[in-house]
């Protein structure tokens, strides 16, 4: 069995169902700017910072924008996003997460959040999960966006865990690539087609145990 001492979770699309709200807010901006944008384009933007996402979206159009415009668009997108999440509660925690976190606590596995979002702490508060994490690293704490491993390496440093003994749970290709770049073990949540670089891909964390994951990771070593 692979030795696992800690787990680091992405937030949007792993812990909570907020990926759909990010998409809705970006979509609204795309319509305003007359930029062609769909779910496939949105998939490529998952996991990266707000400004990097905007740059990716603007590249789909044929105009150039000033830095002031870009700041304004990021602010507008964030206002819409915050409107969409304002009534969020525990019901938007994704399937299996609460039980899996409880299981990790029983097994004395440390857990951290590793999110690109500057709204991560607000979202954790809304769904009542802030105290469930031993440490939190979010978009306010890093300078490099996923696929750079900075966010996960900071998380592992806070948890005092070795990347090779730490599992990163991610729903985005950029996030899995970041974890692989940091020498973490990786579990993709979602579809194989987007998460092919992960050690393991699962649909969700319902019924998951650390011993099962360790066994499955062993066969990938
Ligand atoms: C990531 C999301 O977690 O955070 C992205 O996958 C989002 O979709 C990014 O753009 C930044 O989030 P925020 O809340 O700082 O705009
Ligand atoms: Mg995500």
């Amino acid at each position: 069995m692979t030795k696992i001492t800690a787990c680091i979770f992405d937030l949007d699309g792993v812990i909570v169902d907020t990926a759909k709200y990010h998409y809705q807010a970006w979509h609204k901006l795309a319509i305003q700017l007359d930029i062609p944008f769909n779910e496939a384009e949105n998939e490529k933007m998952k996991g990266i910072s707000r400004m990097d996402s905007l740059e990716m979206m603007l590249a789909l159009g044929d105009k150039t924008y000033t830095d002031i415009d870009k700041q304004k668009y990021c602010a507008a997108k964030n206002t819409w996003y915050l409107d969409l999440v304002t009534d969020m509660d525990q019901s938007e925690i994704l399937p299996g997460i609460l039980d899996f976190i409880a299981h990790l606590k029983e097994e004395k596995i440390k857990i951290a959040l590793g999110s690109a979002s500057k709204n991560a702490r607000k979202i954790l508060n809304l769904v009542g999960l802030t105290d469930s994490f031993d440490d939190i690293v979010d978009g306010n704490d890093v300078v490099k966006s996923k696929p750079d491993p900075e966010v996960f390496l900071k998380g592992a440093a806070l948890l005092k865990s070795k990347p090779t003994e730490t599992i990163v749970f991610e729903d985005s290709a950029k996030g899995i690539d970041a974890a692989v770049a940091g020498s973490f073990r990786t579990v993709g949540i979602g579809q194989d087609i987007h998460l092919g670089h992960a050690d393991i891909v699962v649909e969700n964390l319902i019924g998951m145990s650390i011993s099962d994951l360790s066994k499955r990771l062993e066969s990938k070593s």
Side-chain angles (χ1 to χ4, degrees):
M1 288 214 323
T2 299
K3 182 180 172 195
I4 298 298
T5 58
C7 291
I8 303 181
F9 295 86
D10 172 49
L11 176 72
D12 297 308
V14 170
I15 299 285
V16 277
D17 200 8
T18 37
K20 64 183 182 205
Y21 298 133
H22 280 294
Y23 174 56
Q24 285 171 31
W26 285 124
H27 195 254
K28 185 168 174 173
L29 182 66
I31 289 171
Q32 284 206 351
L33 299 178
D34 201 19
I35 288 174
F37 184 66
N38 55 27
E39 290 203 40
E41 295 299 339
N42 184 67
E43 191 64 40
K44 295 180 211 156
M45 282 164 45
K46 281 186 182 170
I48 63 175
S49 72
R50 196 179 307 163
M51 185 54 87
D52 286 356
S53 301
L54 177 77
E55 298 274 10
M56 215 173 211
M57 203 183 86
L58 295 180
L60 298 170
D62 53 10
K63 297 193 194 88
T64 52
Y65 299 90
T66 65
D67 285 350
I68 292 172
D69 286 336
K70 290 178 190 172
Q71 295 294 348
K72 201 172 67 188
Y73 300 150
C74 274
K77 183 269 174 178
N78 196 46
T79 301
W80 297 325
Y81 175 71
L82 290 177
D83 281 349
L84 290 165
V85 301
T86 188
D87 291 329
M88 268 184 83
D89 60 21
Q90 281 225 328
S91 66
E92 295 198 59
I93 296 174
L94 285 164
I97 289 291
L98 290 177
D99 284 347
F100 187 54
I101 288 178
H103 164 72
L104 293 176
K105 302 256 170 226
E106 274 168 27
E107 298 292 319
K108 309 263 182 288
I109 304 279
K110 292 267 192 199
I111 67 170
L113 191 83
S115 169
S117 174
K118 294 187 172 175
N119 295 301
R121 286 175 169 85
K122 182 186 289 276
I123 301 287
L124 285 183
N125 279 336
L126 282 169
V127 300
L129 280 181
T130 306
D131 294 338
S132 299
F133 290 87
D134 297 296
D135 287 293
I136 294 171
V137 185
D138 72 10
N140 300 292
D141 306 315
V142 294
V143 286
K144 294 181 208 141
S145 200
K146 299 169 188 175
D148 188 280
E150 183 183 10
V151 68
F152 297 132
L153 291 173
K154 280 202 163 168
L158 288 168
L159 295 175
K160 299 186 173 47
S161 67
K162 292 183 193 158
T164 50
E165 296 178 0
T166 303
I167 304 177
V168 168
F169 296 86
E170 257 291 350
D171 71 318
S172 72
K174 299 268 187 333
I176 291 292
D177 287 345
V180 170
S183 301
F184 290 87
R185 304 314 308 263
T186 51
V187 174
I189 314 279
Q191 297 170 315
D192 267 321
I193 186 170
H194 301 305
L195 303 167
H197 296 172
D199 289 321
I200 303 171
V201 179
V202 297
E203 214 175 299
N204 56 51
L205 291 175
I206 294 174
M208 199 55 73
S209 76
I210 202 72
S211 59
D212 276 356
L213 285 174
S214 303
K215 276 186 215 139
R216 290 178 65 179
L217 287 169
E218 183 70 27
S219 67
K220 302 278 173 178
S221 296

